[in-house]
Amino acid sequence: MAKLNQVEKVQVPSIGALPVRSVGSVFKASGVVRKFQAAVGISDGGFTTENQPAELNLQLNASSKLDLSQLNSVENETITVSLSNNSVYTMPNAWCSEPAELRQGVIVVQFQSNRSDKIQ
């Protein structure tokens, strides 16, 4: 059975490697959202575009070494995201977009950046 592609490692310069849980984390690369644009004639329709930022929603194993305030203070850092298929992305000038939350031994946190770059 083929292994599913998932977030495997995350590196934040000010913190180091984050203890990513094996399931539940989501990386969405930056891109373009295309929205349907209605028109009068069939040939007049189409779509509009708008940029979509990169998002990284993480579920981390809570450890005594990782503090919520460290995660919350991430701002203007280049986060490196490694996937299980050996792809690597960076999120330059990333920030913590919502306060980190502790839920039954799991830390939930979200990061965003204006773009993501595939480097491998």
Side-chain angles (χ1 to χ4, degrees):
M1 181 176 204
K3 182 178 177 183
L4 295 176
N5 193 22
Q6 58 191 21
V7 176
E8 197 167 77
K9 297 177 192 171
V10 175
Q11 185 83 22
V12 178
S14 65
I15 300 171
L18 298 181
V20 178
R21 291 176 55 92
S22 59
V23 294
S25 294
V26 177
F27 172 67
K28 182 175 14 174
S30 60
V32 175
V33 175
R34 292 171 184 85
K35 295 185 179 183
F36 174 71
Q37 178 79 31
V40 177
I42 227 171
S43 63
D44 298 331
F47 59 87
T48 60
T49 61
E50 84 182 36
N51 292 330
Q52 179 72 37
E55 290 184 6
L56 180 61
N57 297 293
L58 293 176
Q59 291 196 7
L60 307 173
N61 293 313
S63 72
S64 58
K65 296 178 183 178
L66 187 59
D67 187 86
L68 297 179
S69 63
Q70 287 178 294
L71 296 166
N72 292 338
S73 65
V74 170
E75 187 177 292
N76 293 321
E77 295 196 49
T78 298
I79 296 175
T80 304
V81 181
S82 300
L83 305 180
S84 58
N85 70 352
N86 297 319
S87 294
V88 179
Y89 290 83
T90 59
M91 295 173 63
N93 303 106
W95 62 89
C96 179
S97 57
E98 293 185 18
E101 184 178 336
L102 178 61
R103 297 182 196 160
Q104 300 176 342
V106 177
I107 296 172
V108 178
V109 64
Q110 181 181 59
F111 299 102
Q112 288 185 324
S113 69
N114 288 325
R115 72 173 208 274
S116 59
D117 301 312
K118 185 173 182 180
I119 60 172
Q120 182 176 324

